[in-house]
Amino acid sequence: MAEQIKPFTPHRILDVGCGSGHGILALFDVLGKDIQVVALDENPVCLKAAAQILVEGGVDATFVKRLKPVLTTEGFAFEAAPLVGPFDGRCTLVEADICNDPGMIQALVNDSSFDLITIWLTGTHMMRKFNKDVRSKNIESDGMHRLYVQNRVYELADRILKSGGVLQVVDRSEAPTTEEMRDDCLNAHRDQASVTSLDVKTLEYLPYDEPQTSRTPMIFTPSTSGRVPKQFQPAITSVISIKP
């Protein structure tokens, strides 16, 4: 995933949904130690794990804890502490909800100096379906949630990327081994990007085998064509878009 964006030589990076932090380490390993990363995740357990992983990997990270969960009649929500940039540390881990966090969005817009945004292998935890904002959008599956998050990131990328900046969306999917399948995937991303100025450019993929562990398994989501294969080779797909 990191190798795909190495040719663009980004310096300032926003990573959406950093999870355990291994992806951030990959960015530093591949792109060099001089990059700056701002990483977002709603889950404080993930952020604490990421901070530890980064320290063990030789990367100093600042953890900004700012979300307080509150219960409402419509589901749980977050009270978010103010967030003020610029984020000039080597790596800043920010507790933030990409779906409903106006303070975080405004802080990133005020910064507006990112060369790259990454959103890798978006997932969701079991409690997410009880989130007030998720419920209000009638999001009924993990696949719908993944697309909703990606759509928000496309819109955010249009606002905070520099001219020539890169958005990289990485998913697990069926390996796009034919021209029809590649076009199907690219057209789906072009539809997502249609409300922005971003230009969807390339699709690359790497076949892989689903780990036989207790981790969350891959659930197939039909593409825009509606095609549902009986059997398929899983792959990691990387779609690159450029801001004019």
Side-chain angles (χ1 to χ4, degrees):
M1 294 183 286
E3 290 285 352
Q4 291 298 317
I5 41 87
K6 186 176 182 180
F8 299 98
T9 61
H11 175 63
R12 299 201 73 240
I13 300 166
L14 176 69
D15 181 42
V16 179
C18 67
S20 64
H22 289 90
I24 301 173
L25 277 183
L27 291 170
F28 278 99
D29 288 343
V30 172
L31 303 177
K33 302 301 182 183
D34 293 331
I35 63 172
Q36 290 183 326
V37 177
V38 178
L40 311 178
D41 206 295
E42 171 243 17
N43 191 333
V45 176
C46 287
L47 290 171
K48 289 177 182 178
Q52 184 63 36
I53 289 290
L54 290 166
V55 168
E56 293 173 357
V59 176
D60 295 329
T62 302
F63 179 12
V64 181
K65 182 172 176 57
R66 50 184 293 278
L67 298 183
K68 177 183 177 182
V70 293
L71 293 178
T72 75
T73 55
E74 293 84 22
F76 78 89
F78 291 113
E79 291 180 354
L83 183 63
V84 180
F87 309 100
D88 51 10
R90 190 179 182 195
C91 182
T92 307
L93 305 173
V94 181
E95 190 179 30
D97 184 355
I98 190 67
C99 294
N100 188 23
D101 195 338
M104 177 270 296
I105 297 294
Q106 190 58 55
L108 295 175
V109 170
N110 291 343
D111 193 320
S112 286
S113 58
F114 291 94
D115 307 301
L116 168 69
I117 298 178
T118 55
I119 174 168
W120 291 357
L121 307 175
T122 305
T124 183
H125 55 77
M126 293 179 65
M127 292 299 295
R128 189 67 182 164
K129 61 185 177 182
F130 300 111
N131 178 272
K132 177 181 177 180
D133 183 63
V134 171
R135 282 183 163 181
S136 70
K137 300 297 188 300
N138 295 317
I139 297 172
E140 299 175 350
S141 68
D142 292 348
M144 291 176 64
H145 187 274
R146 173 178 58 84
L147 291 175
Y148 178 61
V149 171
Q150 288 182 3
N151 289 341
R152 294 299 298 269
V153 174
Y154 268 104
E155 295 167 8
L156 178 62
D158 199 30
R159 300 179 69 186
I160 71 172
L161 280 176
K162 295 178 180 178
S163 178
V166 176
L167 169 64
Q168 182 193 31
V169 181
V170 175
D171 273 327
R172 292 182 295 176
S173 68
E174 180 184 10
T177 54
T178 68
E179 196 67 27
E180 178 185 8
M181 294 165 68
R182 290 179 64 88
D183 288 345
D184 193 32
C185 182
L186 285 170
N187 287 336
H189 281 272
R190 287 175 181 135
D191 183 60
Q192 290 179 275
S194 63
V195 297
T196 75
S197 67
L198 296 180
D199 187 8
V200 178
K201 289 289 191 181
T202 63
L203 165 66
E204 301 293 339
Y205 74 93
L206 181 68
Y208 87 109
D209 292 321
E210 187 75 13
Q212 300 301 310
T213 67
S214 59
R215 297 173 64 183
T216 302
M218 176 178 172
I219 299 174
F220 185 80
T221 302
S223 60
T224 53
S225 68
R227 174 179 170 274
V228 180
K230 294 181 180 179
Q231 293 182 332
F232 65 94
Q233 168 62 57
I236 302 293
T237 59
S238 168
V239 175
I240 297 289
S241 300
I242 307 294
K243 181 176 178 179

